[in-house]
Amino acid sequence: MTLVGRDARVTPQTGPDAVVAALVASAGAAIAAAKTTLGEIGAAGLSAPGPLDHTTGVILITQNIAGFRDVPLARLVERKLGGPKVFLDRDTVMAAIGEGTIGAAKGARDYVYLTVSTGVGGAIVSGGKMLRGATNTAGELGHFPVGFDRDVRCRCGSFGCVEAYAGGRNLAEAYGVADASIVYAKAASGDARASALIARAELALQNLAVGIVNALNPGRIVVGGSVAEHEPAHVIEPMRRAVAERAFKVPAAAVRIVPSALGADVSIIGSALAARDRAAGKGEWFL
Ligand SMILES: [Zn+2]
């Protein structure tokens, strides 16, 4: 698979209309960069933060962009684009499809994709099929509660979520800086408060990893996202240690915890693969 054209731009913060306009403009620029035309495009994939319903193409709510509640994003973009059918899914689901098809989970039928980035998210594949749940929101692993401290509030409205400890934005806010990379740098230079926050984030990820292994028995856990990519010693390695030390022995021996193979392009590649399959009539995705 080859990426033949790309365009990136900042997400507008002024509501759905502005986001739709930016998406359509960006699609036009990417098509131009690829030296092709809209008529040549068979299907379009659209990845977005959840929770959302991929079957209806509706964003249920986002915590990061104002004005998004029950927005039929796929239909709005499709109408404005005036070309191929648009297939929406959660960014982490798209990433899992990319990693499972041509990336670090290739060959596995039971795996979990986990992103540790600004936030923490995931997707679960069981028996070669995406785990969707009763209302298509399954796999939000960042909001698995791992702590009892009610003061560690999460944007989702709960407390003690993995994201509330280990999300890059949460780490940065807890320390009082703009970016999590500063917290990791402070800890590396011996700052006790930064080190304590990072130790707490590691423990949250370790508890999540042990829970995933014991509850889901995956063959692989693929860990992506910018924090995982830049700080593997504080993300992937502690998860491996905890699973070796504390998870049930049989599922612990069966799982490999590995970095993403597709890196920053994982959701773009997954979106293209998902759109191709869904346009071909594979309503649900099977490996
Ligand atoms: Zn939460």
Side-chain angles (χ1 to χ4, degrees):
M1 180 165 175
T2 314
L3 274 179
V4 292
R6 66 155 65 234
D7 179 75
R9 47 192 79 196
V10 174
T11 307
Q13 297 295 318
T14 46
D17 289 349
V19 171
V20 170
L23 283 168
V24 171
S26 184
I31 289 166
K35 297 187 169 53
T36 184
T37 61
L38 196 57
E40 296 292 312
I41 309 289
L46 179 53
S47 98
L52 57 78
D53 188 334
H54 70 290
T55 62
T56 56
V58 172
I59 305 266
L60 304 174
I61 191 163
T62 72
Q63 280 131 48
N64 303 328
I65 313 167
F68 266 87
R69 189 178 280 269
D70 297 327
V71 175
L73 190 64
R75 205 173 67 225
L76 292 172
V77 171
E78 202 171 281
R79 202 179 292 156
K80 283 263 189 213
L81 198 58
K85 190 154 176 52
V86 174
F87 297 95
L88 175 75
D89 218 325
R90 203 165 72 236
D91 46 10
T92 47
V93 169
M94 295 298 203
I97 291 171
E99 293 291 353
T101 311
I102 60 168
K106 192 164 188 277
R109 288 177 57 82
D110 295 272
Y111 65 93
V112 169
Y113 177 81
L114 186 72
T115 177
V116 185
S117 186
T118 312
V120 179
I124 299 161
V125 175
S126 183
K129 190 171 191 288
M130 194 67 63
L131 188 75
R132 294 293 189 175
T135 53
N136 295 312
T137 66
E140 295 277 8
L141 295 167
H143 301 279
F144 202 95
V146 292
F148 297 115
D149 187 348
R150 285 178 181 271
D151 293 334
V152 181
R153 306 297 309 182
C154 184
R155 271 179 196 78
C156 72
S158 184
F159 66 89
C161 298
V162 174
E163 178 171 300
Y165 296 101
R169 181 160 55 176
N170 301 266
L171 263 180
E173 282 174 4
Y175 191 77
V177 289
D179 195 277
S181 61
I182 300 168
V183 188
Y184 284 100
K186 289 276 183 192
S189 64
D191 182 292
R193 197 163 62 86
S195 298
L197 286 171
I198 286 165
R200 209 175 63 159
E202 287 182 15
L203 192 52
L205 291 168
Q206 289 183 312
N207 280 358
L208 178 66
V210 171
I212 286 171
V213 169
N214 285 350
L216 301 172
N217 188 18
R220 262 167 251 179
I221 301 175
V222 180
V223 190
S226 57
V227 175
E229 193 182 329
H230 293 117
E231 305 292 344
H234 294 293
V235 176
I236 292 180
E237 286 171 27
M239 290 170 72
R240 285 177 177 151
R241 280 201 304 274
V243 167
E245 286 164 11
R246 295 198 274 134
F248 284 139
K249 294 304 167 217
V250 170
V255 70
R256 283 198 291 129
I257 303 176
V258 295
S260 160
L262 304 178
D265 285 336
V266 66
S267 287
I268 302 176
I269 292 167
S271 298
L273 293 166
R276 183 193 65 182
D277 281 1
R278 288 174 69 181
K282 298 179 191 170
E284 276 305 307
W285 178 68
F286 295 89
L287 279 172

